[in-house]
Amino acid sequence: MGLFPKNINEYLALQGIPRGPYSQVYIVDPANGSDSNPGTSFTQPLASIAAAYALCTANQHDVVLYLAGSSGNNLSAALTWSKNYTHLIGWCAPTRTAQRARIFQLSTLTGASPLITVSATGCIFRDLYIFQGVDDATSLINVSVTGGRNYFDNVHFAGGGHASQAIDGGASLKLDGAEENTFKNCTIGVDTIDAATGMVSLLLDGEAHRNVFEDCYFRMRAGNSGAAFVEVADATGIDRDNTFKNCIFVNNSTSNDMASAFVIPAGMGEPRVLLLKDCMFHNVTKLDANDRGVLFGNMGAVTGADLSGVAVQLIT
């Protein structure tokens, strides 16, 4: 017989969520909860993530446990996650796209750019769908990460879900000065809206560095060849390296190949590099149309046994 947890704290510990002597769990159930409830049991859950987050205390590994159901959590105001070592866990089927632990921008909310900011450090986010899809051209950044050493596992960052938002300056995920974060099994972007020139899945800015994307999907439906998967905002948008390992980049447009999967500004050069290991691209003309010389990967033709697995500049 297997081991069964005696309570929710033991369950979370078995799932790799750190627990401390003062850790609290606050349960969110948008379909059945109320923000007047204490949120400490499944029979008296809270209705919103914002209410649960307000009850959390930084640095003690509190957890907001979001129970999936028939309703999503509509944010009526932008949310800043600034409490260190505080975790947000969706409790749902761990599908890779559009998970049912859903966070939305309320249709009447404007100017939410970003909709969610993660400025804390040491947090875990798991099994979540964060969707920004309203008719508002002032809400262009879905999620911005400014903190460091956070872990995102199976999170779908779904920005640009409306034509008004899938425009120049829009991004599903922005790393702004973020350092040493890990994104595992995540999906970045949507393929249900024609993305205009300048819309990107991932925007790197503020010397973002040593962030790792592993086994992630980048999704886009390019409405113009100028849409891209990844953009570095300026010559100091990244510092040192950011790594993409075993990632798949899919442009589901039937009429517009991306001119450049990565948009790299002039003036960038080593040691500021993007490392690609075992990645695959669909409907892309070139990885870097300007051949800036900062993309390195192992997907090029192997010309000799000694070069197998060696990173080379990707200029095609």
Side-chain angles (χ1 to χ4, degrees):
M1 296 178 63
L3 295 175
F4 293 91
K6 298 181 178 65
N7 53 53
I8 192 63
N9 278 297
E10 185 174 319
Y11 168 80
L12 291 169
L14 289 172
Q15 296 301 310
I17 309 301
R19 313 301 298 134
Y22 304 108
S23 299
Q24 299 293 324
V25 179
Y26 298 102
I27 296 165
V28 173
D29 182 353
N32 302 296
S34 168
D35 284 346
S36 62
N37 286 337
T40 52
S41 70
F42 287 103
T43 57
Q44 291 188 303
L46 295 158
S48 71
I49 292 171
Y53 176 76
L55 295 174
C56 292
T57 300
N59 300 306
Q60 68 179 24
H61 294 289
D62 284 353
V63 173
V64 176
L65 185 62
Y66 178 7
L67 183 63
S70 58
S71 299
N73 188 160
N74 295 303
L75 295 181
S76 59
L79 174 66
T80 297
W81 198 274
S82 60
K83 296 176 182 179
N84 296 341
Y85 307 104
T86 303
H87 316 296
L88 176 57
I89 309 299
W91 205 345
C92 62
T95 58
R96 290 292 297 269
T97 303
Q99 297 87 333
R100 294 295 85 182
R102 297 165 287 172
I103 304 171
F104 299 128
Q105 177 179 345
L106 190 66
S107 61
T108 55
L109 174 61
T110 60
S113 192
L115 178 62
I116 297 178
T117 298
V118 178
S119 59
T121 189
C123 303
I124 297 173
F125 301 85
R126 179 176 292 166
D127 296 334
L128 301 164
Y129 177 46
I130 306 171
F131 179 75
Q132 190 175 36
V134 300
D135 187 4
D136 174 32
T138 66
S139 299
L140 298 183
I141 304 298
N142 182 36
V143 176
S144 175
V145 179
T146 63
R149 298 161 208 95
N150 299 294
Y151 186 78
F152 299 85
D153 182 11
N154 199 41
V155 177
H156 186 176
F157 302 92
H162 190 284
S164 297
Q165 297 172 315
I167 61 175
D168 188 19
S172 291
L173 174 63
K174 180 179 182 180
L175 301 189
D176 191 355
E179 59 181 359
E180 297 167 355
N181 298 281
T182 296
F183 299 83
K184 175 77 172 176
N185 299 323
C186 291
T187 298
I188 301 99
V190 300
D191 56 12
T192 56
I193 296 294
D194 287 335
T197 295
M199 176 65 191
V200 298
S201 300
L202 171 65
L203 178 62
L204 300 169
D205 199 2
E207 296 192 335
H209 60 276
R210 290 199 295 256
N211 300 288
V212 176
F213 294 84
E214 184 173 355
D215 297 317
C216 292
Y217 274 87
F218 290 77
R219 294 194 173 276
M220 180 76 71
R221 190 173 83 195
N224 186 285
S225 62
F229 289 120
V230 180
E231 179 180 3
V232 180
D234 51 43
T236 58
I238 64 171
D239 188 24
R240 286 160 280 186
D241 58 89
N242 290 270
T243 300
F244 302 83
K245 180 181 178 183
N246 196 36
C247 294
I248 297 176
F249 298 77
V250 181
N251 170 21
N252 279 324
S253 172
T254 58
S255 56
N256 294 293
D257 286 0
M258 285 183 185
S260 187
F262 291 78
V263 177
I264 311 295
M268 269 194 66
E270 296 187 67
R272 304 175 194 270
V273 296
L274 298 172
L275 304 177
L276 281 64
K277 182 179 186 297
D278 300 331
C279 295
M280 185 171 68
F281 295 82
H282 178 250
N283 283 344
V284 169
T285 302
K286 294 192 69 173
L287 298 189
D288 174 11
N290 292 304
D291 295 338
R292 303 295 191 193
V294 298
L295 289 182
F296 288 81
N298 66 336
M299 296 91 69
V302 177
T303 58
D306 291 339
L307 292 180
S308 180
V310 175
V312 297
Q313 277 193 8
L314 299 174
I315 58 175
T316 59

